[in-house]
Every structure is written in structure tokens, then in C-alpha cells.
């Protein structure tokens, strides 16, 4: 009679080993990273592709993507996802079994995309009874299509050695058109159906020595709009078929748990003369004599497996040992660290004190105490026996990130000011400027001599690393003085003058004819024709001094002068024909030959006409010009005349 013993962790995907002897009932080692506990997809094959409907069938086409694709193959760390729930389904994004990592396949984009992950492993040659337990949660958008068109999750199990798909262990999960219960409408979107984490057992009996490939696939609907994605988890421990078949000698009761994911269960004694129960969990109080044999008939949901009967030998050989984990260092910047080990079904956990723990009743809570704390883990079997205890210390270390700043954040390089940053003594100090380490800057004090954003990375006495706040230092150099373009004004006509703005102070010297000599912009008004020069003393916000100059020419009226001749012979004397204006801006200036052809426009060369047309020097002659200008009095000036080109 085969012995089926397993330890199941709720909502997980684990390998189940069944054997013929007591020794074979003990926990077995899992293939490396089948549980994702390395925090990556090592040993898994990541797949991407598309889905389509053809001839009434749903066809998912996948090929290796070479690596995990962002937002399609997603590792979800428990340490950073505690309390996070799926937006549509409201269930935890990390499997509630205590494992450190779960996986999300797919995303909220449509486009008839498909994703997959696959793992191959060999069943030991002496294991003719072998099972898998996995857990899934799904979200399907608006799947009210034909069955072959709906979003889905598929689990495909293949005997690679023989090249056969194991039909009784391969399932397709869709919300409509199947007998699978548990789907519900999303609380935030009427057009989305969800299913919370649910475990399923796969029977792989009779495949000793065979290589098995397990593939999880997700797919959108076959059209472009509606998405489908799933969550999957793998557990850390691989063990036998029935949890509870091995119990503690001092247990007062025992819960024997059959495989997950079946529609009906029927428990019998070994000769099937007595029906003992009809639920997945059979409670026996007191435990039966060691060596007793139980049988359970498993009846699947329609289309989700095959009818099977399994047996378990009850033995009082269970031994438990509490494992609180090794002492750990918790740095101030960390949100918490995991204690203990993965959970075992039917084991009761209690941590004390419960201060700083995410949950004091799980096997591996997240610990984030405010001070160094020693925790005691007490465990017992659900039947009350096998009591054990262990302790672990979480050393809380805080790096003193106090940053003192001496001097000014902004100053001129010509001043005697400075910027000095100081931290308290640490094991190691590294100063950074603009997020780049400063070579050789490892002292507790640093003098900033360049503009930039500074901070220090500190390593505390326990090895914890933390950064100080950032300080921005601006060290300016004085801007060179400049002379502004001449400004023309009319008598008694106000004109605005503007200096450069360095966000500091401004002083115009002298203050004559100005409404305010201490502002960046000042109004100039003169009652007489004159020429006034100003010296502008500008002090920047950082204290740098600059002197600029401005000349204002006051006219009685706007004037535009146009020469009557020019000599374009490249002697640097009178080589260009151009108008001169006082208090006016040339808007348009054009020149025509005696045939009426336009030979020049001011847009071609602001210096004026060089006597050429289309690159050819023109003959000496008289040319007609037309000028349009805008005066500072906002009046348009229009003039016409002639000019003689002399060679």
C-alpha cells in the first residue's frame, strides 16, 4: 500500500513526493529556484507571443524571449509588497503563504498578447508516485466572448521523455463556459472578472525517472482590447502527498488534508466499509493508531482533472523544530527583514514580543523594530504536540546622518565667504557632488569650492549605509561688464531703460532723468536735447559685482539719412550703401535698377548694398531706392530717392 505524505503551504505551488516507505515520506529538496526564492527567473524559461482563434479553437503561440520582459514577467518581492493588493481583484499581489517572491504573468494592456514561463525537472527514478501543487489568481477584462475568444490562464504539463501531454494534469482557466467556481466581479470595474488565490494539485504518478515540463501561460482575448493576467507562486519546500499523515506522538488530534482543487472528496477506511468524511480536511480526534491506513476518493471539477483514489499511512513519527532564523542587522533605511522560515501546514506559530512584527502568528513575519529586539518563536503542531522554541535577535542600527552647514549657500568667488559641510564621525564617509563620488573626499569635513549639489554617504559602525540630506552650493564668478546698444529718445518722451538682472541689487549713476535709480528697469525722460551716459553697478544675489554702461541720445525729432552716392571698390571706404537713422528702425529698404529689377533688399545684408546683383558687380549708374522705417514716436517714415554707384 503506497504511503502519501505531504506538507502543503497554503496558496503555493510545490512539488509533492509520494513513496512506499516511511523514509520516503519526509520533505524532499526542490529543484533550484522552482519557488522563485532567488528573486529572479533563474532555471525558468520566459516566453512571449500572441493568441488567436482559429476553427473554434484558442491558439496560444509562444517562443523564448531570452529573458524576462518588463511588465510581462514580473517578480513581486514580499518585503516590498506587504499590504499591496491587485487593483481590480483586491487580493494580495504576493501569495499569502509567506513565501518571499511571487510572479505576475501579463499586464493590463490588450493587443492579444500572450506570456509564459516553463520549468523542466526530472522525477527521481524511485518515485513512481509524484504530484505538483500550485496556486494561481487571475484577472480577466470583459471576457464575455465565445469560449475560444476569452482571456485565459493555461497550465500545461508534458512528459518530455515520452513526448506526451499529460491531459489529466493540464487545465485551462476561463470565467465562462466551465464549471470552475470562485470568479467574482471586480469591486472597481464591472467589466472585469477576478479569481482569488486558489491551490490545485496535479497527479504525476507513474512517471518515475521521466523529465516533466510545467508551463504556465496567460493570454488576452483574441481581439485587441481586453487583457488577461495571472499571479503564480511556488513554495520553498517539496514534500509528500498528505499533510497530517505524519503526526506528533503527543498530538490530541490530527487534520489530514487531501490534494487541492477537486470538486468532491470521500474519505474511507482501508477496506472502504466506512465513509469517514466528505471535505478536503479530515479531522481525527484522538489520532488513530500509528500504522492505520486511510483512503480518499478525489472527484474533479468537470474538465479539471481525472477521478483518482489515494492512500495514506498514519504514523506518529512527526518531529518539529522551531527555526527563528539567524540574527540579523536592520539598518535604519530598511523597511524590515524576514525572520524564520517558510511555513509548514498544520503548524501553529507565535512570536513574542509582537512589537515591530507584521504578523506574530506566521512562520516568517517582517520585522521592523524601533530598537534592537530579541524575538522568541514558539511552535506546535495543530494537534497540540511537538512543541519547540527558538530565538533570534534583530539588531537595529541607525546611522547618524546629521549634516551641518557652515557659511553661505551662495557667494561670489572673489569674496571671503565659503561653504563647509560637516558630519559626525562614522566608520566611512564618502562625499558626493551632483551624484558623483568626489575622489579623496572621505573626511568628516568637506569645503565646497565648486557649484553643485552635495551630500555624504555614511557607513555606520555596524555596517549600515545611509545618506545625508542634500545641500546646494552656488559659487559665482563676476560677469564681465558690457556696453548696451545706444538708446534713442525724444524730448519729453518717456523711454524704458533695462539693465541685466542678476537677482541682486542695481544702481544707475547718475540718477539724472530717471524715475528710479535703484531698479533693474527705469523710466528715462529728458526735457532737452542731450546725450546722457550711465554707469550701472549690479550686485548679484551671490554678491558678485559687475559694471555695465548705457548711453541715451535725446533727439528733437526722428531723422533718417540716405547717402546719394557710394563706391563699392573694396577699399574699405564707402563700400556699402546703407541708410542712417536716429531714433528709427529700418523696416524695409529696397533698391531697383533702371529696368525696374530689385537688386537689393535690406533682408539680404544688414550692412547695406555692396553693388552686386546675383553675385555680379553692377555697372556705374543711378539706382532708385525705397525706404520704410518706424520711429521711436511710433510713426512710420517713408522715403524715396536715388543713389549713384561710382567705380
Amino acid at each position: 500500500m503506497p504511503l502519501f505524505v505531504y506538507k502543503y503551504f497554503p496558496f503555493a505551488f510545490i512539488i509533492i513526493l509520494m513513496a512506499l516507505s516511511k523514509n520516503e515520506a519526509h520533505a524532499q529538496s526542490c529543484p533550484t529556484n522552482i519557488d522563485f526564492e532567488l528573486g529572479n527567473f533563474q532555471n525558468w524559461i520566459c516566453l512571449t507571443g500572441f493568441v488567436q482563434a482559429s476553427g473554434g479553437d484558442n491558439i496560444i503561440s509562444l517562443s523564448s524571449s531570452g529573458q524576462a520582459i518588463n511588465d510581462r514577467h514580473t517578480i513581486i518581492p514580499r518585503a516590498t509588497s506587504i499590504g499591496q493588493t491587485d487593483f481590480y481583484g483586491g487580493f494580495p499581489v504576493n501569495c499569502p503563504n509567506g513565501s518571499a517572491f511571487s510572479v505576475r504573468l501579463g499586464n493590463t494592456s490588450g493587443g492579444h498578447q500572450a506570456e509564459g514561463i516553463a520549468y523542466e525537472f526530472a522525477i527521481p527514478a524511485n518515485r513512481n508516485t509524484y504530484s505538483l501543487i500550485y496556486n494561481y489568481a487571475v484577472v480577466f477584462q470583459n471576457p464575455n466572448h465565445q469560449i475560444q475568444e476569452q482571456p485565459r490562464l493555461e497550465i500545461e504539463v508534458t512528459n518530455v521523455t515520452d513526448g506526451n501531454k499529460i491531459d489529466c494534469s493540464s487545465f485551462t482557466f476561463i470565467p465562462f463556459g466551465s464549471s470552475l467556481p470562485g470568479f467574482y466581479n471586480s469591486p472597481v470595474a464591472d467589466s472585469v472578472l477576478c479569481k482569488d488565490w486558489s491551490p490545485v494539485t496535479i497527479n504525476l504518478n507513474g512517471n518515475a525517472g521521466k523529465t516533466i515540463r510545467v508551463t504556465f501561460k496567460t493570454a488576452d482575448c483574441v481581439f485587441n482590447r481586453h487583457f488577461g493576467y495571472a499571479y503564480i507562486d511556488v513554495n520553498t519546500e517539496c514534500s509528500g502527498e498528505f499533510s497530517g499523515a505524519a503526526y506528533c506522538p503527543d498530538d490530541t488530534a490530527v487534520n489530514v488534508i487531501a490534494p487541492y482543487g477537486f470538486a468532491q472528496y470521500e474519505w474511507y477506511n482501508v477496506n472502504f466499509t466506512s465513509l469517514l468524511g466528505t471535505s478536503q480536511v479530515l479531522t481525527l480526534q484522538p489520532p488513530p493508531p500509528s500504522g492505520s491506513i486511510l483512503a480518499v476518493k478525489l472527484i474533479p471539477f468537470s474538465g479539471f482533472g481525472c477521478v483518482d483514489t489515494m492512500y495514506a499511512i498514519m504514523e506518529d513519527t512527526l518531529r518539529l523544530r522551531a527555526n527563528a532564523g539567524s540574527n540579523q542587522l536592520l539598518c535604519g533605511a530598511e523597511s524590515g527583514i524576514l525572520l524564520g522560515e517558510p511555513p509548514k501546514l498544520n503548524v501553529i506559530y507565535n512570536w513574542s514580543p509582537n512589537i515591530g512584527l507584521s504578523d506574530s502568528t506566521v512562520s516568517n513575519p517582517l520585522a521592523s523594530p524601533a530598537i534592537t529586539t530579541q524575538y522568541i518563536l514558539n511552535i506546535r503542531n495543530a494537534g497540540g504536540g511537538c512543541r519547540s522554541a527558538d530565538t533570534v535577535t534583530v539588531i537595529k542600527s541607525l546611522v547618524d546622518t546629521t549634516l551641518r552647514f557652515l557659511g553661505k549657500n551662495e557667494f561670489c568667488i572673489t569674496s571671503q565667504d565659503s561653504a563647509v559641510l560637516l558630519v559626525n564621525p562614522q566608520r566611512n564617509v564618502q562625499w558626493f557632488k551632483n551624484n558623483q563620488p568626489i575622489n579623496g573626499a572621505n573626511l568628516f569635513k568637506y569645503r565646497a569650492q565648486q557649484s553643485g549639489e552635495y551630500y555624504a554617504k555614511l557607513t555606520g559602525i555596524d555596517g549600515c549605509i545611509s545618506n545625508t540630506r542634500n545641500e546646494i552650493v552656488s559659487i559665482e564668478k563676476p560677469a564681465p561688464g558690457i556696453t548696451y546698444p545706444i538708446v534713442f529718445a525724444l524730448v519729453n518722451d518717456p523711454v524704458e531703460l533695462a539693465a541685466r538682472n542678476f537677482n541682486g541689487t542695481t544702481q544707475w549713476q547718475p540718477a539724472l532723468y530717471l524715475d528710479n535709480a535703484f531698479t533693474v528697469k527705469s523710466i528715462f525722460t529728458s526735457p532737452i536735447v542731450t546725450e546722457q551716459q550711465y554707469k550701472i553697478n549690479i550686485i548679484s544675489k551671490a554678491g558678485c559685482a559687475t559694471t555695465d554702461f548705457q548711453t541715451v541720445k535725446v533727439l528733437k525729432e526722428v531723422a533718417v539719412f540716405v547717402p546719394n552716392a557710394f563706391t563699392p571698390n573694396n577699399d574699405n571706404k564707402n563700400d556699402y550703401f546703407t541708410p542712417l537713422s536716429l531714433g528709427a528702425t529700418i523696416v524695409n529698404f529696397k533698391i531697383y535698377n533702371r529696368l525696374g529689377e530689385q537688386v537689393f533688399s535690406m533682408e539680404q545684408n544688414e550692412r547695406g548694398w555692396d553693388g552686386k546683383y546675383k553675385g555680379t558687380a553692377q555697372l556705374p549708374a543711378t539706382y532708385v531706392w525705397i525706404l520704410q522705417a518706424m520711429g521711436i514716436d511710433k510713426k512710420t517714415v517713408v522715403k524715396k530717392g536715388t543713389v549713384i554707384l561710382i567705380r
Side-chain angles (χ1 to χ4, degrees):
M1 189 76 60
L3 168 66
F4 303 99
V5 179
Y6 80 106
K7 298 174 185 176
Y8 171 74
F9 306 134
F11 313 107
F13 161 31
I14 63 175
I15 294 181
I16 308 303
L17 301 182
M18 300 179 292
L20 297 176
S21 70
K22 180 176 69 175
N23 291 335
E24 293 177 338
H26 296 163
Q28 305 296 322
S29 297
C30 291
T32 302
N33 201 43
I34 197 171
D35 51 10
F36 307 110
E37 292 305 285
L38 294 181
N40 54 36
F41 288 99
Q42 179 178 321
N43 293 348
W44 286 86
I45 301 173
C46 292
L47 309 163
T48 54
F50 60 91
V51 61
Q52 60 184 338
S54 178
D57 295 325
N58 181 277
I59 300 174
I60 297 177
S61 301
L62 295 172
S63 60
S64 174
S65 57
Q67 60 184 357
I69 303 300
N70 183 46
D71 200 36
R72 300 182 74 177
H73 311 95
T74 306
I75 294 286
I76 305 175
R78 176 179 173 227
T80 58
S81 64
I82 289 180
Q84 294 183 18
T85 57
D86 181 81
F87 175 79
Y88 292 101
F91 50 77
V93 297
N94 199 279
C95 188
N97 71 327
S99 65
F101 298 93
S102 298
V103 168
R104 187 185 73 234
L105 276 183
N107 51 42
T108 57
S109 300
H112 58 87
Q113 294 181 336
E115 299 81 22
I117 52 175
Y119 196 106
E120 288 191 8
F121 61 94
I123 298 177
N126 60 342
R127 304 288 180 185
N128 211 34
T129 52
Y130 202 103
S131 293
L132 296 176
I133 296 179
Y134 65 92
N135 187 65
Y136 70 98
V138 293
V139 176
F140 297 135
Q141 183 189 33
N142 192 21
N144 193 17
H145 301 314
Q146 298 295 319
I147 292 178
Q148 71 273 15
E149 299 169 343
Q150 294 179 22
R152 63 196 56 225
L153 164 69
E154 289 189 3
I155 167 72
E156 183 178 282
V157 183
T158 304
N159 180 336
V160 178
T161 302
D162 298 335
N164 299 325
K165 177 181 176 182
I166 304 177
D167 292 326
C168 285
S169 301
S170 300
F171 312 123
T172 298
F173 301 98
I174 54 178
F176 296 135
S178 75
S179 61
L180 192 66
F183 282 95
Y184 58 92
N185 287 320
S186 166
V188 298
D190 293 337
S191 61
V192 176
L193 290 183
C194 313
K195 194 173 190 297
D196 202 347
W197 291 96
S198 303
V200 176
T201 300
I202 301 173
N203 188 350
L204 293 174
N205 293 348
N207 288 291
K210 305 292 186 180
T211 296
I212 303 298
R213 180 171 61 242
V214 179
T215 306
F216 293 96
K217 310 174 187 178
T218 55
D220 302 331
C221 77
V222 299
F223 306 108
N224 288 325
R225 293 182 55 189
H226 306 129
F227 60 75
Y229 62 91
Y231 296 87
I232 298 167
D233 197 13
V234 177
N235 198 279
T236 299
E237 182 177 295
C238 300
S239 55
E241 189 73 37
F242 286 87
S243 178
Y247 57 93
C248 299
D250 52 346
D251 276 338
T252 59
V254 61
N255 292 327
V256 190
I257 304 176
Y260 288 83
F262 289 85
Q264 299 177 44
Y265 299 87
E266 296 177 2
W267 291 90
Y268 296 94
N269 57 2
V270 67
N271 53 16
F272 289 85
T273 58
S274 177
L275 179 65
L276 304 178
T278 58
S279 62
Q280 183 191 3
V281 179
L282 176 66
T283 300
L284 301 173
Q285 187 175 11
S290 183
S292 300
I293 299 175
L294 300 177
V296 61
K297 183 178 181 181
L298 308 173
I299 303 172
F301 293 98
S302 177
F304 289 88
C306 303
V307 176
D308 200 359
T309 300
M310 295 184 177
Y311 300 85
I313 298 178
M314 306 297 296
E315 294 188 299
D316 61 355
T317 58
L318 184 62
R319 300 293 184 271
L320 298 178
R321 176 178 295 179
N323 183 6
S326 57
N327 295 341
Q328 298 195 55
L329 175 66
L330 176 64
C331 296
E334 295 179 305
S335 58
I337 54 176
L338 289 173
L339 303 181
E341 62 181 358
K344 297 178 174 63
L345 193 67
N346 276 338
V347 176
I348 308 300
Y349 300 88
N350 182 265
W351 295 81
S352 63
N354 60 7
I355 298 173
L357 297 181
S358 59
D359 189 338
S360 62
T361 63
V362 298
S363 67
N364 52 352
L366 195 69
S368 53
I371 60 175
T372 297
T373 304
Q374 184 183 71
Y375 292 101
I376 302 174
L377 169 62
N378 289 285
I379 70 169
R380 62 178 175 84
N381 202 32
C386 293
R387 293 177 180 270
S388 179
D390 193 20
T391 61
V392 63
T393 299
V394 177
I395 303 169
K396 178 70 173 186
S397 179
L398 295 174
V399 179
D400 184 356
T401 58
T402 302
L403 176 65
R404 288 174 289 160
F405 186 87
L406 305 180
K408 296 182 178 180
N409 288 82
E410 293 184 90
F411 59 90
C412 188
I413 197 170
T414 59
S415 71
Q416 299 301 313
D417 295 320
S418 63
V420 178
L421 300 95
L422 301 101
V423 295
N424 292 327
Q426 307 287 342
R427 178 193 291 184
N428 184 60
V429 177
Q430 175 63 63
W431 291 96
F432 283 74
K433 171 178 170 287
N434 298 334
N435 290 323
Q436 297 298 318
I438 304 171
N439 187 33
N442 306 112
L443 301 179
F444 305 138
K445 179 173 70 173
Y446 182 77
R447 181 182 297 274
Q449 297 178 320
Q450 295 179 330
S451 296
E453 188 169 6
Y454 292 87
Y455 69 90
K457 177 176 287 188
L458 308 176
T459 303
I461 190 171
D462 294 316
C464 290
I465 298 175
S466 189
N467 295 343
T468 67
R469 72 175 190 277
N470 292 15
E471 280 284 354
I472 297 177
V473 176
S474 179
I475 305 174
E476 288 188 8
K477 294 181 180 179
I482 63 173
T483 298
Y484 303 155
I486 296 174
V487 172
F488 292 93
L490 297 176
V491 173
N492 292 321
D493 191 9
V495 174
E496 183 181 76
L497 305 180
R500 289 189 289 174
N501 188 359
F502 295 157
N503 296 317
T505 62
T506 304
Q507 182 182 13
W508 299 74
Q509 291 180 329
L512 189 64
Y513 306 132
L514 301 176
D515 69 332
N516 191 332
F518 297 96
T519 59
V520 173
K521 295 182 178 180
S522 184
I523 303 300
F524 172 94
T525 308
S526 172
I528 62 173
V529 175
T530 186
E531 181 175 304
Q532 180 63 51
Q533 291 187 338
Y534 293 99
K535 181 171 69 171
I536 311 167
N537 298 314
I538 307 172
I539 306 298
S540 72
K541 185 179 179 181
C544 288
T546 299
T547 300
D548 290 346
F549 297 91
Q550 175 72 74
T551 297
V552 182
K553 291 185 178 182
V554 183
L555 309 173
K556 185 177 182 180
E557 61 183 8
V558 172
V560 178
F561 305 97
V562 182
N564 57 14
F566 77 115
T567 57
N569 54 9
N570 295 323
D571 63 354
N572 294 323
K573 296 178 181 180
N574 201 25
D575 285 335
Y576 287 87
F577 172 51
T578 185
L580 302 175
S581 64
L582 295 176
T585 301
I586 305 300
V587 176
N588 200 347
F589 181 57
K590 297 180 179 179
I591 303 172
Y592 300 86
N593 61 21
R594 61 186 177 180
L595 298 178
E597 295 176 305
Q598 179 181 307
V599 296
F600 177 76
S601 172
M602 202 71 173
E603 297 174 354
Q604 298 172 358
N605 190 339
E606 293 182 354
R607 295 181 62 187
W609 188 35
D610 61 359
K612 295 180 180 180
Y613 175 50
K614 294 183 178 180
T616 302
Q618 299 300 290
L619 296 174
T622 299
Y623 294 83
V624 177
W625 55 264
I626 299 176
L627 178 144
Q628 182 181 2
M630 177 62 68
I632 58 176
D633 55 0
K634 307 303 180 184
K635 295 180 180 179
T636 300
V637 178
V638 177
K639 287 190 174 186
K640 297 181 180 180
T642 60
V643 63
I644 299 174
L645 188 157
I646 302 173
R647 297 236 182 236

